[in-house]
Amino acid sequence: MQPPIILDKQFAPDLGYPLGKIGVRVVVFPKRKDNNSAPEGDVPLDLQAEEDFSTGDSEVNSYLEFPKRGKMCCVFLINGQRHHGLDNTFIVNDLKMKYLRKRMIIVVDLDSLSQRAVAEIMQGSRSGLYEGQVYQKIRDRLISTLQGDPDLAELEEEAEEELSQLQAGDAVVQNALDELIDHHFDFGDHETGGADVSGGKQGQFYGPDGKAVDVNVVVFGENGLPATGPVLVSNHSASTLRVIPNSKTNLIVTALPNGNWSKLKDIGAFLEPAAAGLTATLKRNESDASLEIEFTEPPDFQPDEYPSGGPQISDQ
Amino acid sequence: MKPTSIADYIKPVEFLKQAVQATTVKSITSLLSQLPIVGENDYAYDPGNPAKNWAEGKLHWIPLGKDRGNAGRIRLASRPEGPIAERTINGMEALIELMRRLELLKDPNAPMPQSPREAVARYFSLPPLDQIPKMEKNPLTNIMGQKPKKFARDLARMLRVKVIYDKASKEFVVFIEDDGIGQTPLRMHETLLSLGSSDKGDKPYLIGLFGQGGSSAYATSEYSWCVSRRAKEILDGKPDGVGWTVVKRIFPKNRRDDYFAYLAAGPTGEVPSLPPEAADAIGLKNGSRFAHLNYNFAGGGSAVTRGLYQTLNHILFNPVLPFDLDVGGTVATVYGNGYRLSNKTASDETRLDKYFANQPLDQQPA
């Protein structure tokens, strides 16, 4: 049996020359409210520090090198150019801030390093900093700076609490749902669906106050006669229409069956919500209507305002 | 030996107009076919005696940096976006250097800026780009009488990156253009086409150091061409004119050490030269234009370029100068992710945005 370790101490080497200073910027995003950040995608409360649980989707995705696959949420800059990057395991394992791992960007500015220190870490290949003694000093200082920050500690604590409440809340909701379903079958008179059973306010459910309330029973929408037309159709089947900046696109609308177009009394088009530079022009023709949509990028339009996060090229 | 004058073979104005429109391998090879070029296996550069076997009156392929073993220093990139960023940084330096030289013309004793950011602040009145969205929040803030964002956006037009996808040839071309100091034809081979012989060492206001970052773009494309014209105020006694050359990789017969070479007009390395009228005809007052043909992106078309804006914003996270990125006709200004993050903070979309300045490395962390 090995004796227990009573001292394990590291002595930082004195490099014999001044290293200079670093600047650090940390940005934390709020937790996203949409459904994509499902609780199960979050950190398990008992997660071990060495576990890599990075997922492809996070609040900071659009600030990583590649959407969905870049991991460099901690960057090291010299004259504003990224020379090195770390993924979010650094946030988890070194900063011990696992609850902020998908919401944090760290920028380390190395412009105030001494010339000698820069020479030690910079490589001609631009394939990252040389991970020697100077780099280790930078990393140590970065960790101590961020670990000691009360604002970050508070956000981490808040995120942990939020998650634990969410998980506790999940259990409560699940139990309540189970209970409601059980009661529903107790009161329900439609145990099987079917068009032969009439609808109406015959079902019972529990409202937010816990009291039973009448609800509409679902019925199949087969009452009445099948529609025969005419109907309006367009030449674009998708639900969205994409317009490349500084270009136009067309949409044709007509009536089916053929010959019914003349029965259409009026047709109009409007943009909701209106966007600067986006125009729509509708022209009614003999047998159809053409809608021309044009987007001219305004001079002060910011790249971040594009829904895609940036300009794109198409080879389609 | 007198350098070969290509004006003896072509009409300079028409030729240069055609040359700067070469966007595919087919178009550049067609252009080269008009010129008297010695075959790549018919002349081997000898650094001890470059005139050996030189055919007077013709153009020859000379290794970049006059070193046949240059491939290892050019094939540096592990991803296609890196060389574009490096080349863009060269453009920023060309803009800064122009301003520094103009400053010295007015005052030869003007102190040297001690960093690229200091130079940019002095010559362009531009703060670090990540500060601009925060400045913009104060309606009274202006730079030279303009709103900070507009001021930065206008500056970005001096440096342009353009990516075009040619559907017919299925080739990308990447252009990097700057309106900076430029270079005379007589010195292009010593600077823009050199390797590791950087003259930046004593200029703390410039960014690069190794003199080879931008060269990595030669390895990511099949052909490159370059034109450059020195600002007329700073010709340093050299004649005005525009230098033009083409760079390609050469696989010598019966050897496995490929290398990168450019088209030279003389054994001492000068590039082909064209008169100032040719530069005027293409609207080149001063600065450099690089084009990298059949650029080797992983994959093709929209899948590649969709992420280019985001990737460049990440690599040039907080660049000293902004630049315009034109992807398939859509132009956006790249200010870097530092700016983009500040935009989010300025619109109250972050929980924390905190700076820790001057963290000393010479003291033990607590």
Side-chain angles (χ1 to χ4, degrees):
Chain A
M1 188 175 142
Q2 288 187 337
I5 296 168
I6 56 171
L7 178 66
D8 183 353
K9 189 173 180 179
Q10 282 195 329
F11 295 90
D14 178 8
L15 302 185
Y17 53 87
L19 296 173
K21 296 168 181 171
I22 62 170
V24 183
R25 178 187 184 187
V26 60
V27 179
V28 179
F29 283 81
K31 188 163 174 57
R32 212 166 40 196
K33 300 289 182 202
D34 62 28
N35 293 330
N36 292 337
S37 57
E40 55 270 27
D42 266 312
V43 193
L45 289 171
D46 59 347
L47 187 92
Q48 295 303 301
E50 63 274 12
E51 287 183 62
D52 179 7
F53 47 84
S54 53
T55 62
D57 199 16
S58 79
E59 282 82 346
V60 299
N61 257 351
S62 69
Y63 301 93
L64 304 180
E65 184 171 12
F66 298 101
K68 305 282 181 189
R69 56 194 173 96
K71 288 182 177 179
M72 284 190 263
C73 55
C74 176
V75 291
F76 296 77
L77 312 182
I78 299 177
N79 292 318
Q81 183 184 5
R82 186 204 68 205
H83 281 260
H84 199 75
L86 298 171
D87 63 31
N88 63 17
T89 55
F90 171 74
I91 298 174
V92 177
N93 296 338
D94 295 271
L95 299 184
K96 314 289 183 200
M97 294 180 186
K98 57 189 177 187
Y99 296 99
L100 297 180
R101 81 192 189 283
K102 291 201 293 181
R103 297 160 49 189
M104 192 193 286
I105 294 275
I106 301 163
V107 185
V108 187
D109 187 327
L110 305 178
D111 287 356
S112 298
L113 285 184
S114 69
Q115 191 184 334
R116 173 74 187 269
V118 171
E120 292 292 331
I121 55 173
M122 227 171 127
Q123 300 189 80
S125 65
R126 300 283 200 273
S127 58
L129 299 177
Y130 180 71
E131 298 187 9
Q133 291 170 317
V134 174
Y135 173 78
Q136 196 55 48
K137 290 266 191 187
I138 294 168
R139 200 173 157 126
D140 290 347
R141 172 56 67 184
L142 174 64
I143 292 167
S144 72
T145 299
L146 296 183
Q147 274 189 335
D149 182 60
D151 292 331
L152 279 174
E154 189 182 325
L155 282 172
E156 169 75 358
E157 200 176 314
E158 180 189 300
E160 182 179 11
E161 199 173 316
E162 204 173 276
L163 183 66
S164 89
Q165 280 176 358
L166 202 59
Q167 290 184 340
D170 281 350
V172 172
V173 170
Q174 190 60 50
N175 290 338
L177 274 174
D178 289 346
E179 201 176 324
L180 282 170
I181 290 165
D182 288 346
H183 283 295
H184 178 73
F185 282 116
D186 289 346
F187 284 98
D189 55 358
H190 290 183
E191 290 187 0
T192 57
D196 54 329
V197 184
S198 62
K201 290 193 174 184
Q202 296 176 16
Q204 284 191 308
F205 207 68
Y206 286 91
D209 55 359
K211 293 178 182 171
V213 291
D214 290 339
V215 294
N216 285 320
V217 174
V218 177
V219 294
F220 289 106
E222 292 181 359
N223 294 337
L225 296 169
T228 55
V231 292
L232 287 175
V233 293
S234 84
N235 64 341
H236 186 80
S237 58
S239 59
T240 55
L241 188 64
R242 198 165 170 219
V243 188
I244 293 171
N246 303 314
S247 69
K248 53 181 80 167
T249 189
N250 284 291
L251 184 74
I252 305 291
V253 180
T254 189
L256 284 179
N258 289 333
N260 282 291
W261 181 251
S262 57
K263 293 178 188 168
L264 183 69
K265 282 186 180 170
D266 195 15
I267 184 167
F270 60 92
L271 293 165
E272 178 62 39
L278 188 64
T279 57
T281 312
L282 184 76
K283 187 180 167 195
R284 183 166 179 166
N285 307 314
E286 253 182 47
S287 60
D288 57 27
S290 63
L291 179 66
E292 184 179 273
I293 300 165
E294 182 172 12
F295 177 56
T296 307
E297 188 190 77
D300 57 346
F301 202 76
Q302 293 295 312
D304 287 349
E305 292 175 49
Y306 284 103
S308 59
Q312 299 176 12
I313 190 172
S314 172
D315 64 340
Q316 301 304 306
Chain B
M1 195 180 293
K2 197 178 152 193
T4 303
S5 168
I6 60 168
D8 296 343
Y9 300 90
I10 45 88
K11 291 180 179 171
V13 170
E14 285 71 21
F15 178 82
L16 196 59
K17 279 184 181 173
Q18 196 185 344
V20 294
Q21 284 171 6
T23 57
T24 61
V25 170
K26 191 178 170 188
S27 57
I28 194 75
T29 49
S30 162
L31 192 77
L32 291 175
S33 68
Q34 300 175 28
L35 300 171
I37 301 172
V38 171
E40 59 196 43
N41 288 304
D42 299 331
Y43 170 77
Y45 179 79
D46 177 355
N49 184 12
K52 187 181 165 190
N53 297 329
W54 184 276
E56 198 160 359
K58 297 202 171 184
L59 305 175
H60 296 61
W61 295 103
I62 282 189
L64 281 170
K66 298 183 179 177
D67 174 12
R68 270 185 68 136
N70 60 23
R73 287 187 287 153
I74 292 175
R75 288 203 301 253
L76 296 174
S78 55
R79 283 185 177 154
E81 296 84 2
I84 300 175
E86 293 288 345
R87 199 41 104 206
T88 307
I89 283 179
N90 292 350
M92 293 175 197
E93 292 180 313
L95 290 165
I96 294 171
E97 184 68 355
L98 172 62
M99 300 304 281
R100 170 64 182 161
R101 292 296 304 274
L102 291 175
E103 179 186 48
L104 286 174
L105 279 183
K106 285 183 193 163
D107 174 10
N109 297 316
M112 196 182 282
Q114 290 306 301
S115 71
R117 291 223 186 268
E118 187 188 330
V120 166
R122 186 191 299 179
Y123 302 133
F124 300 100
S125 306
L126 198 64
L129 296 181
D130 62 350
Q131 298 303 312
I132 287 181
K134 296 169 188 174
M135 291 169 72
E136 191 89 5
K137 279 198 95 174
N138 180 350
L140 299 176
T141 307
N142 71 78
I143 303 175
M144 311 285 279
Q146 288 190 60
K147 300 292 283 178
K149 280 187 180 178
K150 179 167 189 324
F151 183 81
R153 188 163 183 145
D154 289 346
L155 268 183
R157 301 209 164 99
M158 296 191 299
L159 179 56
R160 304 166 294 278
V161 176
K162 192 172 178 181
V163 180
I164 298 172
Y165 182 68
D166 184 84
K167 288 178 188 173
S169 62
K170 293 188 165 44
E171 289 175 17
F172 281 104
V173 57
V174 177
F175 294 94
I176 295 106
E177 306 177 347
D178 70 71
D179 298 338
I181 190 166
Q183 193 48 275
T184 59
L186 287 177
R187 288 208 63 214
M188 269 176 71
H189 65 293
E190 295 170 356
T191 54
L192 299 175
L193 300 165
S194 71
L195 278 180
S197 55
S198 171
D199 59 354
K200 303 173 187 172
D202 58 350
K203 296 175 180 174
Y205 55 88
L206 295 184
I207 301 166
L209 187 61
F210 300 109
Q212 58 192 33
S215 309
S216 55
Y218 298 131
T220 50
S221 45
E222 195 169 339
Y223 280 88
S224 302
W225 57 253
C226 168
V227 295
S228 191
R229 184 188 192 184
R230 187 77 157 183
K232 66 177 187 302
E233 300 90 339
I234 320 163
L235 286 168
D236 297 330
K238 304 280 190 307
D240 189 12
V242 55
W244 167 85
T245 193
V246 174
V247 178
K248 70 168 184 174
R249 186 186 297 197
I250 287 179
F251 297 91
K253 253 186 196 168
N254 305 322
R255 291 180 66 106
R256 60 191 193 94
D257 56 340
D258 60 297
Y259 64 97
F260 293 86
Y262 72 96
L263 209 52
T268 45
E270 305 95 311
V271 301
S273 173
L274 295 161
E277 306 83 74
D280 293 338
I282 61 163
L284 180 59
K285 195 176 153 203
N286 55 274
S288 301
R289 313 274 186 270
F290 283 90
H292 300 286
L293 315 184
N294 197 13
Y295 200 89
N296 184 9
F297 284 108
S302 58
V304 171
T305 52
R306 192 170 294 134
L308 191 59
Y309 171 79
Q310 183 164 336
T311 307
L312 286 179
N313 268 295
H314 197 267
I315 298 174
L316 299 173
F317 208 94
N318 195 21
V320 296
L321 283 170
F323 60 95
D324 272 354
L325 172 66
D326 177 341
V327 184
T330 300
V331 183
T333 301
V334 175
Y335 303 94
N337 274 346
Y339 173 100
R340 296 177 67 220
L341 288 167
S342 297
N343 252 346
K344 289 287 175 189
T345 298
S347 54
D348 296 325
E349 291 179 63
T350 58
R351 284 295 305 277
L352 182 72
D353 189 350
K354 191 168 181 176
Y355 286 77
F356 305 84
N358 296 324
Q359 300 295 305
L361 294 188
D362 298 308
Q363 294 166 15
Q364 280 288 359

